[in-house]
Amino acid sequence: MEVEQVLHMKEGTGRDSYANNSKYQEKVIEEVKTILEESVQQLYQSKLSERLVLADLGCSSGPNAHKVLLEIIDAVHRTCQNLNRQLPEFQVFLNDLPGNDFNTLFKSFPSLWEKLGQVKGSDFEVSCFINGTPGSFYKRLFPCSFLHFAQSSYSLQWLSQVPRELAIKDGAAFNKGNVHIGKTSPQEVHKAYQLQFEKDFTLFLSLRSQEFVPGGHMVLTIPSSIDSREPDTIWMLLNIALNNMVSEGLIEEEKADAFNIPMYLPSAQEVKKLIEIEGSFTLHRLHTFNMKWDLKILADGVRAGIEPLLASSAFEGAIIDDLFRRFEEIATNYHADNGEVKLHNLVVSVSRNN
């Protein structure tokens, strides 16, 4: 499975779409608002430019891309007022993989300017030029010394590929019965995921270092873990649903064993270490926080995130519907017995070294 070609959130604005199932990600953005504003203000106070070049890396197709952009414009506006300066022009690049639903995203932008007028007043004027930038952020996206600011929220957990070590060899599945790091996974499975994340995140930092102006700022928000070796509750419950369907003969065992989620939830210590080793950026803030959320609602979000991956792995539509019906039922029962699930997050604020 070529992740770059098949990974995207569920398109459109229907019931199962990412646009209608990204409330949790919206709450995460609200949680890191202060750090985002702090980073933007630090940048603009040191880079008094007439034009700010911004990028949203992994923008997806829901309303959260609007939310982040509004917060950035608002932070720059308040900084300009304090410094008695004119608002700069904004050049904004919305990046995601080629399969992202850019059409839905761009159709929604008239409502952004309407929201901005409601917040700032009808006489508020801003020059903002918005562009789509399809492509993997594990490759070069922009010219050298081009970006002033970038943010990425809930995107860097996605790996560039499923670790090659997990591939079925000679008919044997290395991570049998699991779609991710599970209780029955060999220790080597965690190591394979960890090494893939280290490779991808280091490459991401190296590529961005070429694209940023010296002193440019970046804020990265990543779903995380206290101990990345521990199984994630969401994938554990999806495992149960998938394995039940295998035992009932509804899904071929080999097909289920071949499916692994290309995602890694790093610890704060892992991220901090990789930033320091790569060496192109100065770490200003590393903040961790937990959020409790209804697992049933999260289950809808999981479908919006991985349904295209399942479809690309030859799971048929009716099978996918049945899988997520079971998954939601299991998640609902888990919630009834255990209450809201606690999710770990981390946010880092960095600047490009001179």
Side-chain angles (χ1 to χ4, degrees), residues 34-104:
T34 301
I35 295 175
L36 182 74
E37 290 179 344
E38 176 188 274
S39 181
V40 171
Q41 289 168 357
Q42 289 175 349
L43 164 71
Y44 195 64
Q45 286 173 349
S46 62
K47 298 284 181 184
L48 295 176
S49 174
E50 294 182 354
R51 177 173 59 93
L52 280 182
V53 182
L54 318 171
D56 186 345
L57 304 171
C59 63
S60 194
S61 58
N64 293 331
H66 297 180
K67 190 174 185 66
V68 172
L69 182 54
L70 284 173
E71 290 179 357
I72 292 172
I73 292 174
D74 185 54
V76 174
H77 180 231
R78 285 186 281 108
T79 303
C80 288
Q81 287 180 317
N82 293 335
L83 298 174
N84 196 28
R85 289 183 58 87
Q86 274 193 320
L87 196 67
E89 292 184 335
F90 295 88
Q91 189 170 8
V92 180
F93 293 87
L94 302 177
N95 157 255
D96 214 311
L97 292 174
N100 184 55
D101 187 1
F102 284 101
N103 285 337
T104 294

Side-chain angles (χ1 to χ4, degrees), residues 49 73 89 179 206 242 257 289 295 299 308:
S49 174
I73 292 174
E89 292 184 335
V179 299
S206 176
L242 189 64
D257 287 340
F289 61 97
L295 195 53

Side-chain angles (χ1 to χ4, degrees), residues 215-218 280-284 349-353:
H217 279 243
M218 185 163 59
S280 297
F281 292 88
T282 296
L283 178 62
H284 297 288
S349 174
V350 300
S351 64
R352 175 71 169 91
N353 295 332

